[in-house]
Amino acid sequence: MSLMFCHAIGISQETSKYLSSKKATDLSVSDGKSAIRETDSVIGLIDSIRLNIRQSKDTVEVLEYKFQLAQLNGTLGNDAEAIMLAVQVTNSFETPGPLKFASGKYLRDKYFRLGVYDRAIETHAKLDWEYAPKNWEYYVPDNFVAFAFVRTGDYDKSISILKHVIQVMNERSYIYWEFSFTNSLGVIYLKNNQYDSAWNQFQNANQLLEMNFMEEPNRTTYNFGYLDGLIKGNMAEVLAAKGLHLEAIPLYKYDIDQCSKYPENAEIQSNILYSTLKLAKSYIATNQMSAAQTALNKTRQLLISSPKPEQLLELKRCLWKYYEKLGKQDSALIAVNQYIKIRDSLEQSTFSNTLRNTQISYESQMNIESLAKKEMELSELRSKSEKEKFVSYVIILTATILLASLIFLFRAYRKRLKSELELSSKSKKIGEQAIVITKALEEKDLLLREVHHRVKNNLQIISSLFFLQAKKI
């Protein structure tokens, strides 16, 4: 049974090149020496990035380096450090939108893997999808919330969200994701013991698969055989849950046969182990003990090559029921004791992991609060500095304006004084010229009167002469 849950994690190009290799992301599949070499490579890359951070003067570049550092620390299992760095990048006011989205998404996924689902949902709600790649997830970002609700056991909310997601995928013609989410919805119904609804969803998924992925190249691209087997295996689980084991057995076998065609895929091989155990249970329920023994032996072999504690626990439970059916009480008791030991060990491991994750979450929260406090203090200092700068600018501007005003007034005064002096000088010259002109006019008037007097005298003389001349005649 698989939810087929997948969501992309945005990482930087440099880190992506390293983390894209299977060995870098899953050191557990390597031998000890290889794991040590790869761990040393990651540590070397971390040291290189830290050096770049110290040398860089570009704030955005430093934030990009910090995000790479967060991812690499996450690869090494330093989750608290990874979370703290991712929070720094996500919460920084200077982080560009695409980087803020990528770091927030990484932080969300980290919380999800640690089992801190409330914080994962809270972080998801803060993502700005404007900066997301325009793929299927861009149109249905709440698919993440649906699977978080599955982990918290809130199936009704998860079902409601997934119905909407499936509708959008259908409208956008994302057929593979419509198929994937339809199958996941069926699994959730099955977990919630709603067997008829689960059956209907698996049938819908099967129809989507047959209508869209049977022909090449989709048949090869999407591993049609595996997907077909997966759906049939999930349908078998519904039948087995209803007690219809005889009808479930052929579907389980079909699932196993289809998955066996992909021996190189670890996820598909894990599904074979799961379905083989379920097949053994159905054989035991229908008293087909020989076939059950064959299935149980195959499960043992699969667990040797790929040990999984949860499946080993389920195997011991099946052996317990198997030996009980055969009446072998001693063997059944041994299987029960082994089952109890493994169960207690798993519970202890689960408790330790929960405690570890809780501690990481607490430490990261403390770091976040400390970081927020420092950011607040830094913000206050910046605000104070900005105010001081503003006051300084105001004082300088005021002084500049006053100085400019004084210079302007001084120049205006000098100009006015100069004008007054020039006016006074001109007035004086005009006054002097007026005196000269007045004197000249007086002299001309005097001369004119003198001439007039002389002309008058001359005319009198002439008149007298004319008179005397007239008497002589």
Side-chain angles (χ1 to χ4, degrees):
M1 179 168 59
S2 172
L3 287 173
M4 300 184 70
F5 173 44
C6 175
H7 53 272
I9 299 175
I11 58 178
S12 64
Q13 187 176 4
E14 180 183 353
T15 310
S16 177
K17 288 179 182 177
Y18 183 83
L19 297 181
S20 61
S21 78
K22 174 68 177 173
K23 292 181 180 179
T25 55
D26 189 5
L27 298 179
S28 62
V29 300
S30 308
D31 58 47
K33 291 182 180 179
S34 177
I36 291 171
R37 283 197 302 271
E38 287 157 9
T39 301
D40 289 342
S41 297
V42 176
I43 292 172
L45 190 53
I46 287 174
D47 291 339
S48 174
I49 291 173
R50 282 176 175 161
L51 179 62
N52 290 335
I53 290 174
R54 286 194 296 270
Q55 292 177 345
S56 178
K57 296 180 180 179
D58 185 349
T59 304
V60 174
E61 190 178 47
V62 169
L63 290 167
E64 289 173 351
Y65 282 135
K66 282 188 175 182
F67 182 39
Q68 294 175 16
L69 203 57
Q71 293 167 311
L72 291 170
N73 273 285
T75 303
L76 293 178
N78 301 331
D79 293 323
E81 181 72 14
I83 289 173
M84 187 182 70
L85 287 166
V87 167
Q88 287 180 18
V89 176
T90 304
N91 292 347
S92 175
F93 294 110
E94 297 175 315
T95 304
L99 180 59
K100 186 183 286 288
F101 175 81
S103 61
K105 199 161 180 280
Y106 173 80
L107 187 62
R108 175 201 73 176
D109 295 336
K110 179 61 71 176
Y111 283 137
F112 185 90
R113 293 191 183 100
L114 290 173
V116 191
Y117 302 116
D118 55 342
R119 197 163 294 167
I121 293 172
E122 180 185 342
T123 305
H124 175 82
K126 295 177 181 178
L127 292 176
D128 187 351
W129 288 87
E130 178 186 349
Y131 300 101
K134 300 300 186 289
N135 56 18
W136 65 270
E137 194 179 11
Y138 172 81
Y139 300 103
V140 286
D142 282 347
N143 80 89
F144 174 88
V145 180
F147 291 102
F149 282 140
V150 171
R151 297 298 179 90
T152 60
D154 199 340
Y155 296 124
D156 291 337
K157 288 183 179 179
S158 178
I159 288 168
S160 176
I161 294 172
L162 277 184
K163 284 181 178 178
H164 172 70
V165 168
I166 292 167
Q167 181 183 347
V168 174
M169 292 294 95
N170 175 267
E171 293 170 354
R172 294 280 177 179
S173 298
Y174 285 102
I175 305 300
Y176 174 78
W177 290 107
E178 181 186 358
F179 158 77
S180 174
F181 287 120
T182 302
N183 174 67
S184 298
L185 181 58
V187 172
I188 296 169
Y189 275 129
L190 182 56
K191 283 177 174 288
N192 203 30
N193 300 324
Q194 296 175 258
Y195 302 128
D196 291 336
S197 297
W199 181 264
N200 291 335
Q201 293 302 319
F202 292 140
Q203 281 192 322
N204 292 339
N206 192 52
Q207 288 177 4
L208 284 168
L209 187 67
E210 291 177 351
M211 288 171 57
N212 297 281
F213 300 105
M214 285 194 68
E215 302 297 329
E216 294 291 353
N218 284 345
R219 187 180 182 89
T220 302
T221 303
Y222 292 100
N223 291 338
F224 174 84
Y226 164 60
L227 299 177
D228 188 29
L230 181 72
I231 296 298
K232 298 300 191 298
N234 287 343
M235 294 173 78
E237 282 207 58
V238 176
L239 294 171
K242 289 183 171 183
L244 304 174
H245 293 284
L246 288 174
E247 296 178 35
I249 287 170
L251 294 176
Y252 279 133
K253 292 170 75 174
Y254 180 82
D255 179 19
I256 294 167
D257 290 341
Q258 291 297 317
C259 289
S260 298
K261 297 175 183 179
Y262 306 93
E264 73 288 347
N265 190 306
E267 180 186 354
I268 296 177
Q269 293 304 303
S270 177
N271 187 65
I272 292 176
L273 174 59
Y274 183 85
S275 295
T276 304
L277 264 173
K278 293 292 182 180
L279 177 62
K281 282 185 176 182
S282 290
Y283 278 139
I284 293 169
T286 55
N287 294 316
Q288 300 182 55
M289 307 312 288
S290 177
Q293 184 179 15
T294 302
L296 290 170
N297 288 336
K298 184 178 179 181
T299 303
R300 282 196 187 97
Q301 293 173 358
L302 290 169
L303 282 170
I304 289 171
S305 60
S306 179
K308 297 182 182 299
E310 293 82 1
Q311 305 300 343
L312 180 59
L313 178 67
E314 196 62 29
L315 172 62
K316 296 303 179 183
R317 184 180 179 83
C318 285
L319 287 170
W320 166 18
K321 299 298 180 183
Y322 171 76
Y323 287 128
E324 270 191 346
K325 282 260 184 175
L326 292 176
K328 297 181 178 181
Q329 299 301 326
D330 291 342
S331 298
L333 183 61
I334 292 172
V336 169
N337 289 332
Q338 290 175 340
Y339 172 82
I340 293 171
K341 282 183 179 179
I342 295 171
R343 184 195 64 191
D344 292 344
S345 176
L346 274 176
E347 287 177 353
Q348 180 65 31
S349 176
T350 302
F351 176 76
S352 297
N353 286 334
T354 303
L355 187 63
R356 172 181 170 273
N357 292 340
T358 303
Q359 184 177 359
I360 290 172
S361 176
Y362 174 76
E363 288 177 356
S364 64
Q365 182 61 29
M366 292 295 292
N367 288 333
I368 291 169
E369 289 175 358
S370 175
L371 184 63
K373 186 177 179 181
K374 288 180 180 178
E375 286 285 342
M376 189 178 294
E377 291 174 354
L378 184 60
S379 178
E380 288 176 356
L381 287 173
R382 285 176 178 171
S383 178
K384 186 178 179 180
S385 176
E386 289 295 327
K387 286 180 180 178
E388 290 176 352
K389 283 183 180 179
F390 177 75
V391 171
S392 299
Y393 290 149
V394 169
I395 291 172
I396 292 170
L397 182 62
T398 304
T400 303
I401 292 171
L402 287 173
L403 182 61
S405 299
L406 289 172
I407 292 171
F408 175 77
L409 291 172
F410 178 70
R411 286 183 175 178
Y413 172 75
R414 285 188 63 186
K415 188 176 181 180
R416 183 179 175 184
L417 185 61
K418 185 178 180 181
S419 298
E420 289 178 352
L421 289 172
E422 288 177 353
L423 184 60
S424 176
S425 177
K426 287 179 181 179
S427 297
K428 186 176 180 181
K429 286 181 179 179
I430 291 170
E432 290 175 351
Q433 289 176 356
I435 292 169
V436 171
I437 292 169
T438 302
K439 287 182 177 180
L441 287 172
E442 288 177 352
E443 288 177 357
K444 285 180 181 179
D445 186 56
L446 181 63
L447 288 172
L448 185 61
R449 284 198 299 269
E450 183 66 27
V451 169
H452 180 268
H453 180 70
R454 288 184 179 185
V455 169
K456 184 179 177 182
N457 289 337
N458 288 333
L459 288 173
Q460 187 68 36
I461 291 170
I462 291 169
S463 176
S464 296
L465 289 173
F466 279 133
F467 180 73
L468 290 175
Q469 187 70 31
K471 278 184 176 187
K472 285 179 180 183
I473 296 173

